[in-house]
Amino acid sequence: MRARVFVTLKRGILDVQGTAVKRALEGLGFTEVKDLRMGKVLEVELELQDAARARSRLEEMCQKLLANPVMEEFSVEIVDNGTRPTLPERARGD
Amino acid sequence: MRARVFVTLKRGILDVQGTAVKRALEGLGFTEVKDLRMGKVLEVELELQDAARARSRLEEMCQKLLANPVMEEFSVEIVDNGTRPTLPERARGD
Amino acid sequence: MTWAEPKVTLELALAHGLTADEYDRIIQRLGREPTFTELGLFSALWSEHCAYKHSRIFLRRLPTGGARVLQGPGENAGIVDLGDGLALVLKIESHNHPSFIEPFQGAATGVGGILRDIFTMGARPIALLDSLRFGDPAESKTRYLISGVVSGISWYGNCIGIPTVGGEVAFAPEYNGNPLVNVMCVGLVPTDRIIRARAEGVGNPVFYVGAKTGRDGIHGATMASATFEEGAEERRPTVQVGDPFTEKLLLEACLEAMATGAVLGVQDMGAAGLACASSEMPARAGTGMEIELSGVPQRETGMTPYEIMLSESQERMLLVVARGREALVREVFAKWELDAVEVGRVTGDGLLQVRMDGQLVAEVPVKTLTEEAPVYRKPTERPRWLDALVAFDPLTLAEPASCEQALLALLAAPTLASKEWVWRQYDHQVGINTLVLPGSDAAVLRIKGTRKAIALTTDGNGRYVLLDPYAGAAMAVAEAARNLACSGAAPLAVTDCLNFGSPERPAILWQFAEAVEGIAEACRALEIPVVSGNVSFYTETEGRAILPTPVIGMVGLLEEAERRSTQWFKGVGDRVALLGPDAVSLGGSEYLWTLHGRVAGRLAPLDLTGERAIQSACRTAIEAGLCASAHDCSEGGLAVALAEACIAGPAPLGAEVALPPGARTDLTLFGEGPSRIVVSVPRHAQRHFEGLMRECQVAWSWIGTVGGDRLAIRVGGRSVVELPVAQLSHAWRNGLARLVA
Amino acid sequence: MKFGVVVFPGTWSDCDFHYVISELLRQPVEYVWHRSPDLSEFDCMILPGGFSYGDYLRAGAIAGRSPVVEALPDFAARGGLVLGSCNGFQILCEAGILPGALMKNECLQYRCQSTHLLVENAETPFTRGTRPGQVLKMPISHGEGKYYCDRQTLRTLKERNQIVFRYCTESGDVTGEANPNGSLENIAGIINDEGTVLGLMPHPERAAEGAMGVTDGLLIFHSLLGGLVEAGSFLKR
Ligand SMILES: Nc1ncnc2c1ncn2[C@@H]1O[C@H](COP(=O)(O)OP(=O)(O)O)[C@@H](O)[C@H]1O
Ligand SMILES: [Mg+2]
């Protein structure tokens, strides 16, 4: 079972890093960027078959370690249930 | 137009953070984690209407600034085309 | 068996960076064609990086011995005796190419590598210094590189908890495509606990410890010996990623294991990884080694013997352990949660035998890989363009309209401006030994448990070396020693990093040969042995080489930590003296570059006997407690040295200075020359100071008084500078920060 | 008073604290490995600076879930004192022993520099050798020291006088310029409601002897030791 966990700053908390990246992009001429926020993504491979169980375990991991509730929120996305890959097509960086 | 950009280490490149987090999770009893890699996600809001154009601009941003092709790869995901939000439901971290 | 080796051909050998001659030589030595893994071994060990093929002949000229030298060149690092049962381990290394490709990780792994060189010797690293060169600061690429490099060094050094206490940063367009990242480390070891990278004792087990092996940087060592061609950025060689956390564990585990006495020899697996460690360790001891690769901890699946031998994964070590004490070593590494696997043993046949799942994949005499590597004496030739360059007389240029504007421009020039933007990103205090923080001529660290302290500096000026490789390199040694003298220390030893273009070009090799000769001469005259170093050739892109840049890392000793000095003025009313000769030149000066955009002219003469006398006079005055401050005149000349003495400290202070008339005011103010030191002397110590200077028989004179809130300089009675220290300070403090923001 | 200095994989100020306590203060002190949950022999536990577990997820996050940290609330409830400096502060917040969180510095860079601290609360066991309003000089060294908490928490911190130190100028003004990392209201150190657990970003152990140029850090140690304070020798500064 593959999943993605997103950990991002809560809305309302100033995302200094995101702001810096936005400004750098503007400097390069990418003025169409209206808003940019930066977070972490964890690509996880689990030895579990059941999607619901996977989701609940991942949420538990977030609560216990992966996210700090003072400033962060998280979301869990199950990418595949072991049979069909549903990952969006990747534009490789090269 | 909203989009997500993922910047992750190329396979084969040591993921120092991911390795440490996986170990920590194991220590907390989450032994079902088989593999874990950590990357960045950028949630971007663009002043563009056209999804194809948005994708190509974002890819350009990745090439120019957001990812270092020597060690990172990126992928771009268009989240909505300005009308219907398709973000997965969020499990709030609090 | 999941791997198969390709057949080795001449083409394959050439693709590995070996020449046809070298390939023939391999066949001749082995009496057969090498296997693929063997070809990998040769390509790594016979590379410029490992074999010093083009430099070895010249390096023999360096003085390496001395009463305090416990270990000269040839080991992972050099060692000098500090007394009190303690020794200092030192080494500098370049990570230029990797830092260009990936500035953050390139610089970070540079720090990781040099740290391992120190703790393999049994020493605890206590300080890092970074000597950096970047291209034109107006280029956005330069800004990208400097922020990446500085944050990479900051990350690795801070995370592992070794203070970065000094270094240098200079800019010149010649470094545009080839930034220099040289990192120096020093460590402390009890004299009776020194460990060497030798595989002693036939039958002793060989352990692999530390991080797992991946496919990182395979061919890194050969890459470091190849110039950048168009498209290098697209070729995207694998970069190594640093893991300072794992290295911290490795450091603690290694030192703990060494303290048990069970560890006999250690070498780190950095450039050319296991290949290098498993051949150099037995070669030094006159033994052999057999290795079984299947047990090597691996991060990836399906790695071939070739890949495992050549991987440059970081944070790994090869240990030779005393037979019967394996359990002890395993226990220590288990505590630190690191892999420790027995992968082989020391043999008596002088061979390196590598097996994978029992099958022999390489069998080479270790001496063939190491001592018998090719050594070249390629032609050298003084380049013809040099004559025109040095023939230029800077005094044919008009004097500046305003010396004040010139001074402000120099203080704000990125090469001279305050480097606080850099070093405030480095933890320079952890370990609570740093008595003099970055920002003075040399950093000073106390040695806990003794009354002593050590002083550390790195110095080098590529412009000088371009104009006169022999004198320029000698001046780098003189300046490093002078920086130590200004802090009150006597020089102990040098570690040098020689950054040059391709040695296959006669003009470059001439620069190199001259520079080495200059270093040797200065080290002999000042009696400072060179105990370790590093050569970084091929630092060029498409035939355009960097400025020839030998960087001198130097350590010095203060018998009394209390008797140290810093470069800034401290007391209103203190008198200012200038020690040293009058001879200065605008040739190759920062003034000529910043105001006129030229690198040309002749350097001021260097008199090594005089230099030594001045340094000794300065040191003696500091030891006697006569100096409130001491600062050497380097780039920017006397005016910049005076300004820095006013503004570099925690509480800026002005000064009034009167200088005799010279040939020209700009020459007097901004001319550069060796052997000159500005000191300030409290009133009550004046007499004593004057007597001491007479005794030392050095040239010196009173030139002014500390006080007020402006720097006022008169030359021949005419006021040429009168600027508020706040204005000087503003220019100097923002010069670099403004560029990198 | 017996001190315990906690060592996590990646800790580096442990030796510095140990040195100050044993060599300068001449007090009994021992290193405590992060796996050890038995703190019964100690009076004061120090969580020193460093990069525990490399700080790879968030500063202090992984260490915040270790056995020794889990034992701290009990230890404090039984009258023990806990001082977390730098990474130690981050760990205490991550473990939820202190409120709030420490985020990346606003400048997005690491900062190693000298700072001034305004003593806001001089009635803690860690600061009773100081005067309220006194300005202390102490270095910082961190990349993630920007204190953050929500409004409600901030209100509580103020009501209960839990803010112990704020970054200030040399003359004691709490200004934006004096704030090295973007901390909320210049907060540099806070204490728990019971007054037994102090977290601060600065390094008192680096400011504990003349050779280092500053000795204000000693005030914290001497406050802990009590004796000298009662004698009044440190109140006159
Ligand atoms: N990259 C750096 N890292 C740490 N400290 C640095 C760095 N660059 C310069 N410094 C420090 O700034 C001060 C001035 O450096 P520099 O101008 O090179 O001195 P000098 O001319 O006396 O050799 C020194 O204390 C030096 O150690
Ligand atoms: Mg100097």
Side-chain angles (χ1 to χ4, degrees):
Chain A
M1 177 73 60
R2 285 167 62 192
R4 290 196 294 201
V5 176
F6 298 96
V7 180
T8 48
L9 284 177
K10 284 182 180 170
R11 291 264 149 195
I13 294 193
L14 177 66
D15 175 12
V16 185
Q17 248 179 316
T19 313
V21 171
K22 176 167 180 282
R23 208 170 316 127
L25 285 171
E26 278 163 16
L28 292 174
F30 295 103
T31 47
E32 68 265 48
V33 178
K34 236 171 62 194
D35 187 40
L36 189 155
R37 293 183 65 82
M38 201 151 140
K40 284 178 242 181
V41 56
L42 293 99
E43 301 185 337
V44 190
E45 178 115 30
L46 293 172
E47 275 179 291
L48 291 175
Q49 304 310 318
D50 178 47
R53 166 116 180 103
R55 177 178 295 278
S56 93
R57 285 294 275 177
L58 287 165
E59 285 176 9
E60 214 184 308
M61 293 179 208
C62 287
Q63 273 142 9
K64 288 227 173 113
L65 179 72
L66 302 179
N68 180 336
V70 174
M71 56 188 179
E72 291 170 331
E73 58 191 23
F74 60 84
S75 69
V76 170
E77 220 178 274
I78 302 295
V79 176
D80 84 40
N81 59 9
T83 50
R84 57 196 166 85
T86 55
L87 255 177
E89 198 200 294
R90 288 224 148 187
R92 294 291 156 179
D94 43 14
Chain B
M1 177 71 62
R2 285 168 60 193
R4 290 197 295 202
V5 176
F6 298 95
V7 180
T8 47
L9 288 172
K10 285 185 180 169
R11 290 266 146 194
I13 296 233
L14 173 66
D15 177 7
V16 169
Q17 300 193 27
T19 311
V21 171
K22 175 167 182 281
R23 263 209 191 181
L25 285 172
E26 279 164 11
L28 293 172
F30 295 102
T31 46
E32 67 265 48
V33 179
K34 236 171 62 190
D35 188 38
L36 189 154
R37 294 185 63 85
M38 202 154 141
K40 283 179 260 186
V41 57
L42 292 99
E43 301 184 338
V44 190
E45 179 112 32
L46 293 172
E47 276 179 289
L48 291 175
Q49 304 311 318
D50 178 45
R53 166 116 180 102
R55 176 178 294 278
S56 95
R57 285 294 277 178
L58 287 165
E59 285 176 11
E60 215 184 306
M61 293 179 208
C62 287
Q63 271 142 10
K64 287 225 173 117
L65 180 77
L66 303 178
N68 182 348
V70 179
M71 52 189 295
E72 290 169 330
E73 58 191 23
F74 59 84
S75 69
V76 170
E77 220 176 272
I78 303 296
V79 175
D80 82 40
N81 58 8
T83 50
R84 54 190 171 89
T86 57
L87 257 177
E89 198 201 297
R90 288 225 149 191
R92 295 290 155 182
D94 44 10
Chain C
M1 195 173 78
T2 53
W3 45 272
E5 301 206 321
K7 187 176 155 36
V8 175
T9 60
L10 175 60
E11 284 68 48
L12 200 54
L14 296 178
H16 273 73
L18 293 162
T19 66
D21 274 353
E22 288 168 350
Y23 183 60
D24 280 348
R25 201 154 150 172
I26 293 169
I27 293 177
Q28 188 205 325
R29 291 285 153 83
L30 294 179
R32 59 178 165 81
E33 303 253 319
T35 66
F36 185 56
T37 300
E38 287 168 346
L39 179 68
L41 294 179
F42 278 103
S43 81
L45 279 136
W46 284 18
S47 71
E48 188 62 45
H49 187 85
C50 292
Y52 290 79
K53 325 187 238 205
H54 291 95
S55 60
R56 206 180 267 209
I57 281 181
F58 302 101
L59 296 177
R60 291 194 186 123
R61 305 281 305 156
L62 297 171
T64 57
R68 286 186 182 267
V69 177
L70 300 180
Q71 177 64 59
E75 273 281 340
N76 284 330
I79 309 184
V80 282
D81 196 352
L82 284 179
D84 293 326
L86 289 173
L88 200 63
V89 183
L90 61 148
K91 171 88 156 104
I92 192 168
E93 202 149 80
S94 65
H95 234 212
N96 304 335
H97 288 205
S99 302
F100 178 69
I101 292 165
E102 215 305 305
F104 182 92
Q105 290 295 346
T109 49
V111 174
I114 195 66
L115 284 166
R116 286 193 298 281
D117 277 340
I118 301 302
F119 69 87
T120 51
M121 313 285 302
R124 178 171 286 279
I126 56 166
L128 291 160
L129 294 92
D130 59 330
S131 174
L132 312 177
R133 301 289 183 287
F134 297 101
D136 181 354
E139 301 260 333
S140 62
K141 175 94 187 188
T142 300
R143 289 198 294 271
Y144 163 77
L145 288 171
I146 189 173
S147 14
V149 164
V150 170
S151 48
I153 293 169
S154 158
W155 174 61
Y156 206 104
N158 297 348
C159 185
I160 194 169
I162 314 294
T164 305
V165 300
E168 32 172 3
V169 189
F171 298 83
E174 286 84 352
Y175 302 110
N176 270 344
N178 298 90
L180 302 187
V181 176
N182 294 180
V183 187
M184 170 175 163
C185 184
V186 303
L188 264 186
V189 60
T191 334
D192 56 2
R193 290 261 193 86
I194 294 171
I195 289 187
R196 291 186 169 80
R198 298 165 64 95
E200 304 274 8
V202 173
N204 278 328
V206 175
F207 272 70
Y208 170 114
V209 300
K212 296 191 193 319
T213 297
R215 291 191 174 89
D216 325 61
I218 292 171
H219 281 156
T222 15
M223 178 181 90
S225 311
T227 52
F228 284 162
E229 299 306 334
E230 191 100 59
E233 275 179 89
E234 275 73 66
R235 245 190 285 140
R236 284 169 203 161
T238 333
V239 290
Q240 303 113 273
V241 170
D243 182 355
F245 170 61
T246 297
E247 180 129 318
K248 166 78 174 163
L249 304 186
L250 187 60
L251 160 68
E252 299 300 341
C254 281
L255 293 181
E256 200 172 313
M258 288 163 171
T260 67
V263 178
L264 304 176
V266 185
Q267 179 154 335
D268 91 289
M269 293 186 267
L274 187 51
C276 225
S278 62
S279 44
E280 289 182 357
M281 288 185 78
R284 287 194 193 95
T287 55
M289 193 177 280
E290 51 179 38
I291 298 275
E292 165 57 58
L293 296 179
S294 53
V296 167
Q298 291 162 48
R299 203 173 75 223
E300 294 175 59
T301 51
M303 288 186 73
T304 65
Y306 174 97
E307 289 173 324
I308 297 172
M309 288 304 284
L310 293 185
S311 161
E312 301 198 337
S313 289
Q314 302 286 297
E315 291 91 22
R316 307 176 302 156
M317 297 277 199
L318 202 64
L319 266 51
V320 172
V321 171
R323 191 158 37 160
R325 309 190 67 183
E326 295 88 342
L328 206 56
V329 171
R330 285 207 184 88
E331 205 175 289
V332 171
F333 283 86
K335 172 187 162 194
W336 291 98
E337 296 181 30
L338 290 171
D339 283 320
V341 181
E342 190 175 328
V343 293
R345 60 184 193 97
V346 180
T347 59
D349 56 10
L351 293 176
L352 170 63
Q353 292 179 315
V354 182
R355 291 188 175 77
M356 179 82 153
D357 301 318
Q359 186 192 330
L360 194 65
V361 293
E363 184 175 49
V364 191
V366 292
K367 303 249 171 187
T368 303
L369 285 167
T370 55
E371 281 159 38
E372 290 164 19
V375 171
Y376 299 122
R377 189 186 179 115
K378 289 278 170 80
T380 60
E381 190 189 334
R382 183 178 196 276
R384 258 167 286 135
W385 46 258
L386 194 53
D387 294 325
L389 213 55
V390 291
F392 173 76
D393 179 3
L395 296 183
T396 55
L397 297 168
E399 283 217 50
S402 156
C403 287
E404 293 185 337
Q405 289 313 314
L407 176 57
L408 289 169
L410 281 174
L411 288 172
T415 296
L416 294 195
S418 165
K419 302 303 182 299
E420 188 177 353
W421 182 88
V422 174
W423 49 257
R424 71 181 179 190
Q425 299 185 51
Y426 302 153
D427 189 322
H428 40 259
Q429 288 183 304
V430 58
I432 44 174
N433 295 318
T434 322
L435 302 177
V436 176
L437 309 182
S440 194
D441 284 320
V444 178
L445 277 84
R446 68 171 165 194
I447 306 295
K448 286 200 199 99
T450 73
R451 304 173 64 89
K452 294 174 181 169
I454 53 166
L456 309 167
T457 183
T458 66
D459 285 284
N461 182 323
R463 285 198 293 255
Y464 290 1
V465 182
L466 177 79
L467 296 174
D468 187 340
Y470 177 86
M475 281 186 188
V477 174
E479 178 174 349
R482 206 180 317 124
N483 281 327
L484 299 185
C486 286
S487 59
L492 276 178
V494 160
T495 180
D496 64 318
C497 197
L498 308 174
N499 306 275
F500 286 80
S502 166
E504 292 161 46
R505 293 200 285 141
I508 302 275
L509 197 60
W510 176 79
Q511 290 175 327
F512 180 81
E514 289 283 301
V516 171
E517 209 52 55
I519 292 171
E521 174 63 27
C523 284
R524 268 193 302 268
L526 303 174
E527 285 185 66
I528 318 171
V530 178
V531 297
S532 59
N534 173 248
V535 177
S536 180
F537 273 141
Y538 300 100
T539 320
E540 62 180 59
T541 308
E542 292 161 47
R544 282 195 308 276
I546 53 161
L547 291 175
T549 314
V551 169
I552 302 299
M554 199 182 285
V555 297
L557 179 65
L558 292 93
E559 289 292 342
E560 295 286 333
E562 291 293 304
R563 295 291 160 106
R564 60 181 182 270
S565 181
T566 48
Q567 72 179 36
W568 45 87
F569 294 146
K570 295 177 187 68
V572 174
D574 289 359
R575 291 197 70 190
V576 181
L578 175 62
L579 316 188
D582 294 331
V584 289
S585 167
L586 291 176
S589 68
E590 183 66 36
Y591 170 82
L592 195 59
W593 170 253
T594 299
L595 277 90
H596 299 283
R598 300 184 78 133
V599 177
R602 269 179 221 289
L603 307 181
L606 168 66
D607 163 16
L608 285 164
T609 315
E611 176 78 50
R612 193 173 166 164
I614 292 289
Q615 290 183 17
S616 149
C618 176
R619 191 166 45 240
T620 312
I622 293 171
E623 279 166 3
L626 305 179
C627 295
S629 73
H631 183 25
D632 78 312
C633 300
S634 56
E635 288 92 347
L638 178 58
V640 166
L642 286 166
E644 285 172 348
C646 289
I647 59 184
L653 266 178
E656 280 190 17
V657 174
L659 303 169
R664 262 171 54 156
T665 308
D666 55 352
L667 182 63
T668 302
L669 293 179
F670 309 119
E672 297 174 14
S675 322
R676 286 150 58 91
I677 298 175
V678 172
V679 300
S680 65
V681 180
R683 292 254 168 205
H684 65 82
Q686 266 177 49
R687 277 286 179 70
H688 196 157
F689 181 81
E690 284 167 3
L692 180 66
M693 289 304 117
R694 258 195 311 276
E695 237 170 76
C696 294
Q697 295 187 315
V698 294
W700 77 283
S701 57
W702 292 118
I703 58 168
T705 310
V706 176
D709 58 0
R710 15 190 78 219
L711 172 63
I713 305 177
R714 277 179 298 132
V715 177
R718 195 165 60 89
S719 164
V720 291
V721 171
E722 184 157 5
L723 287 166
V725 286
Q727 199 176 343
L728 298 171
S729 179
H730 182 84
W732 183 67
R733 286 188 192 280
N734 295 306
L736 181 62
R738 202 186 46 212
L739 285 166
V740 285
Chain D
M1 186 166 211
K2 181 157 184 187
F3 290 87
V5 174
V6 180
V7 185
F8 299 96
T11 298
W12 40 239
S13 285
D14 46 344
C15 303
D16 297 353
F17 270 103
H18 195 279
Y19 170 82
V20 169
I21 296 168
S22 65
E23 301 299 310
L24 303 179
L25 304 170
R26 307 262 164 214
Q27 297 298 314
V29 52
E30 256 173 47
Y31 291 114
V32 179
W33 190 235
H34 63 112
R35 291 237 179 76
S36 158
D38 178 16
L39 309 177
S40 50
E41 57 179 307
F42 300 103
D43 304 299
C44 178
M45 295 304 297
I46 308 268
L47 276 76
F51 281 62
S52 52
Y53 297 95
D55 280 353
Y56 284 153
L57 180 62
R58 288 181 311 277
I62 298 175
R65 279 93 185 144
S66 58
V68 72
V69 172
E70 276 164 9
L72 288 177
D74 258 1
F75 171 75
R78 285 186 291 105
L81 295 174
V82 180
L83 170 69
S85 153
C86 191
N87 197 223
F89 186 14
Q90 295 162 337
I91 292 168
L92 290 170
C93 286
E94 277 288 345
I97 296 173
L98 289 174
L102 293 147
M103 303 174 58
K104 256 194 196 358
N105 292 351
E106 191 111 337
C107 59
L108 297 177
Q109 285 178 353
Y110 198 93
R111 278 290 176 273
C112 179
Q113 65 180 67
S114 161
T115 63
H116 291 97
L117 306 176
L118 187 73
V119 178
E120 295 271 347
N121 180 349
E123 265 141 45
T124 76
F126 307 88
T127 52
R128 54 193 183 130
T130 64
R131 282 180 281 100
Q134 186 171 353
V135 176
L136 311 182
K137 197 171 168 188
M138 241 178 262
I140 55 163
S141 181
H142 59 248
E144 302 185 29
K146 173 181 168 180
Y147 184 78
Y148 169 81
C149 64
D150 61 33
R151 271 208 217 118
Q152 178 53 45
T153 308
L154 182 63
R155 203 175 311 133
T156 315
L157 285 178
K158 287 180 180 169
E159 278 166 13
R160 314 246 169 128
N161 209 8
Q162 285 175 255
I163 301 172
V164 180
F165 299 115
R166 290 186 205 260
Y167 299 107
C168 65
T169 63
E170 197 175 350
S171 52
D173 300 317
V174 178
T175 65
E177 265 138 64
N179 188 341
N181 54 23
S183 279
L184 182 69
E185 301 207 356
N186 285 43
I187 290 174
I190 59 171
I191 198 159
N192 64 344
D193 195 17
E194 295 75 25
T196 49
V197 181
L198 175 77
L200 79 169
M201 284 316 292
H203 285 267
E205 83 284 6
R206 295 186 185 185
E209 53 184 323
M212 293 295 117
V214 260
T215 53
D216 288 352
L218 274 183
L219 293 174
I220 292 183
F221 293 103
H222 283 142
S223 296
L224 280 168
L225 294 177
L228 282 168
V229 179
E230 252 97 301
S233 57
F234 276 85
L235 293 173
K236 297 190 197 79
R237 294 170 59 98

